[in-house]
């Protein structure tokens, strides 16, 4: 039975009020507000149960990466762009001063035509006529076909006739899947080479973890040397670029970004050997297979890192939740709870009356 002061047990020890009743026995006990640790634990547990934690981490990391990249590019390139604009404006002003019979409108039209010509792959530099050197000879056409199926798309060389544009659509429609199959096959060949190296090292008595590390290192070093370092040196000699520009062009090309700011075989005043761009196209096709495997490897590393982070967060949440559950829940703060007191067995109350009546009935039966 319930007394006015709270629940009582058969031993006479008064307990704190239950979660459903207050000290008066009428109103519900006000719940104790959860502390910050317990609230965070509940929120993280809910997020993990709903499967949103990994997505949240991925989205947050992705946008943070983009924001950091944007800030760095802005800091590095904005000043140089401003200087180039000022130099171009001064050049135009000096040109008009040297040729006062030209109007500003005529000068702007000349600059517009010159810019369009360069964008279309025509470089009107030098006294020699460029009508004999076609951008659509077999070597350049093969290079263009390779950039289409590889989705690089520099933009400096593109079809301008209606027939060429329609054919480019269908050529890319079937050529891109074919290129993916080709790259997949070449990637298997590269993977098989790494497996053979690992088997050779395993027969020599090397441990599997060390074999995995060495084969991965061999794959990275060989690929960087064959597809990035040596071609960049070749481009430095042939194109007249700096070595850093050659590295930049090689990676931007093989990653299929293809800005079009650097393109092989287009430097005015330079003489290139026959089928130069054909060889570059072949380098691109095999380099794409290597860098595709490299990107797959980096993707696996990032996914494993994400799983480790989520696992650690899950462990932290679990430990926090276990600590929270191990603590007793009270509906009243500690300073509002009455101290437990022992009531004498003969004290009045409904519980004592019921016990007395039960004892009397037992004696009567005896």
């Amino acid at each position: 039975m319930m007394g006015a002061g709270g629940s009582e047990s058969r031993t006479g020890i008064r307990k704190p009020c239950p979660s459903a009743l207050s000290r008066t026995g009428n109103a519900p006990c006000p719940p104790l507000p959860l502390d910050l640790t317990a609230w965070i634990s509940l929120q993280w547990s809910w997020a993990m149960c709903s499967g949103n934690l990994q997505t949240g981490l991925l989205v947050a990391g992705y946008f943070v990466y983009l924001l950091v990249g944007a800030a760095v590019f802005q800091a590095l390139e904005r000043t140089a762009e401003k200087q180039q604009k000022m130099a171009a404006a001064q050049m135009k002003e000096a040109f008009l001063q040297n040729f006062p019979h030209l109007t500003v409108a005529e000068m702007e039209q000349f600059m517009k035509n010159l810019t369009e010509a360069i964008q279309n792959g025509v470089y009107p530099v030098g006294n020699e006529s460029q009508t004999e050197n076609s951008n659509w000879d077999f070597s350049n056409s093969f290079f263009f076909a390779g950039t289409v199926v590889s989705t690089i798309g520099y933009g400096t060389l593109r079809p301008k006739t209606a027939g060429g544009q329609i054919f480019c659509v269908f050529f890319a429609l079937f050529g891109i899947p074919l290129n993916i199959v080709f790259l997949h096959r070449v990637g298997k060949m590269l993977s098989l080479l790494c497996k053979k190296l690992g088997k050779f090292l395993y027969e020599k008595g090397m441990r599997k973890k060390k074999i995995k590390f060495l084969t991965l290192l061999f794959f990275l070093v060989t690929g960087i040397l064959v597809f990035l370092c040596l071609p960049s040196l070749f481009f430095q000699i042939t194109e007249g670029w700096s070595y850093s520009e050659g590295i930049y062009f090689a990676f931007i090309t093989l990653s299929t970004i293809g800005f079009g700011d650097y393109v092989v075989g287009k430097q005015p005043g330079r003489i290139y050997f026959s089928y130069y761009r054909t060889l570059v196209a072949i380098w691109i096709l095999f380099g794409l297979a290597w860098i595709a495997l490299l990107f797959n490897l980096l993707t696996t590393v990032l996914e494993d890192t994400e799983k480790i982070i989520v696992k650690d967060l899950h462990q932290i949440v679990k430990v926090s939740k276990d600590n929270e559950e191990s603590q007793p829940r009270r509906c009243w703060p500690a300073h509002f709870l009455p101290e437990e007191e022992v009531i004498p067995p003969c004290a009045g109350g409904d519980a004592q009356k019921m016990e007395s009546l039960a004892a009397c009935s037992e004696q009567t039966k005896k």
Side-chain angles (χ1 to χ4, degrees):
M1 301 294 291
M2 180 74 66
S7 62
E8 297 175 357
S9 65
R10 296 179 63 87
T11 59
I13 299 176
R14 182 177 299 171
K15 298 179 180 180
C17 61
S19 60
L21 298 176
S22 66
R23 294 185 62 189
T24 58
N26 297 324
C29 294
L32 179 64
L34 299 175
D35 58 2
L36 182 59
T37 304
W39 183 84
I40 295 176
S41 176
L42 291 175
Q43 294 297 322
W44 278 110
S45 299
W46 176 85
M48 292 180 63
C49 292
S50 60
N52 291 331
L53 180 57
Q54 290 184 347
T55 303
L57 288 175
L58 179 61
V59 172
Y62 180 74
F63 280 100
V64 167
Y65 192 79
L66 292 180
L67 291 174
V68 171
V72 173
F73 283 128
Q74 183 181 16
L76 293 175
E77 300 295 334
R78 193 169 184 175
T79 303
E81 180 197 27
K82 185 177 180 180
Q83 293 176 355
Q84 289 179 351
K85 288 183 176 180
M86 293 176 61
Q90 292 175 359
M91 179 192 67
K92 291 167 62 176
E93 184 178 356
F95 188 83
L96 288 174
Q97 290 178 357
N98 293 330
F99 299 93
H101 60 278
L102 290 177
T103 63
V104 176
E106 292 174 346
M107 179 63 183
E108 294 296 331
Q109 185 63 37
F110 171 76
M111 297 295 293
K112 181 179 179 181
N113 295 337
L114 183 62
T115 303
E116 290 180 354
I118 295 174
Q119 290 177 351
N120 292 328
V122 178
Y123 297 88
V125 178
N127 297 325
E128 298 180 0
S129 176
Q130 298 184 357
T131 57
E132 297 180 358
N133 299 326
S134 174
N135 289 327
W136 290 101
D137 56 12
F138 184 80
S139 179
N140 290 333
S141 299
F142 185 86
F143 179 79
F144 172 76
T147 59
V148 169
V149 298
S150 60
T151 69
I152 296 177
Y154 289 115
T156 55
L157 186 64
R158 55 189 183 272
K160 301 174 183 63
T161 63
Q165 292 173 350
I166 297 299
F167 176 76
C168 184
V169 171
F170 287 98
F171 180 77
L173 181 63
F174 294 98
I176 293 174
L178 180 61
N179 183 66
I180 293 174
V181 174
F182 172 78
L183 295 180
H184 183 67
R185 180 64 62 180
V186 176
K188 280 187 175 181
M189 293 172 59
L190 295 176
S191 299
L192 183 61
L193 180 62
C194 292
K195 287 182 180 180
K196 287 183 177 180
L197 177 62
K199 185 178 179 180
F200 173 78
L201 295 177
Y202 182 76
E203 292 175 352
K204 295 295 182 180
M206 193 173 294
R207 292 184 299 176
K208 290 185 177 180
K209 289 185 178 180
K210 192 174 182 180
I211 291 173
K212 186 177 180 180
F213 173 76
L214 289 178
T215 52
L216 180 61
L217 183 64
F218 172 77
F219 171 76
L220 291 176
V221 172
T222 305
I224 292 174
L225 182 65
V226 173
F227 296 107
L228 290 180
C229 295
L230 292 180
S232 300
L233 182 62
F234 177 73
F235 294 141
Q236 181 183 13
I237 298 173
T238 307
E239 300 288 344
W241 300 334
S242 64
Y243 189 75
S244 61
E245 290 175 331
I247 290 283
Y248 168 77
F249 166 78
F251 182 80
I252 292 300
T253 296
L254 296 183
S255 60
T256 69
I257 297 174
F259 289 123
D261 48 352
Y262 290 88
V263 183
V264 294
K266 303 299 294 183
Q267 296 296 322
R270 285 191 171 269
I271 300 175
Y272 302 97
F273 59 89
S274 301
Y275 302 106
Y276 165 65
R277 302 188 88 185
T278 302
L279 294 177
V280 174
I282 295 174
W283 161 76
I284 290 174
L285 294 178
F286 284 93
L288 287 175
W290 170 79
I291 207 164
L293 291 177
L294 178 61
F295 286 160
N296 289 335
L297 176 64
L298 294 177
T299 302
T300 303
V301 172
L302 291 176
E303 288 179 349
D304 292 341
T305 305
E306 181 187 8
K307 290 179 181 179
I308 293 173
I309 294 175
V310 172
K311 185 177 179 181
D312 292 341
L313 290 175
H314 178 69
Q315 189 68 23
I316 294 173
V317 170
K318 185 178 180 181
V319 171
S320 178
K321 187 176 181 180
D322 292 341
N323 294 334
E324 182 65 23
E325 291 178 352
S326 63
Q327 297 178 358
R329 294 293 184 88
R330 294 181 177 180
C331 61
W332 286 90
H335 60 277
F336 285 117
L337 289 175
E339 296 182 358
E340 297 178 347
E341 55 184 15
V342 179
I343 302 177
C346 297
D350 294 337
Q352 285 74 16
K353 290 180 181 179
M354 293 298 294
E355 291 177 358
S356 299
L357 290 175
C360 291
S361 61
E362 290 179 359
Q363 292 179 0
T364 303
K365 290 179 182 180
K366 292 181 179 180

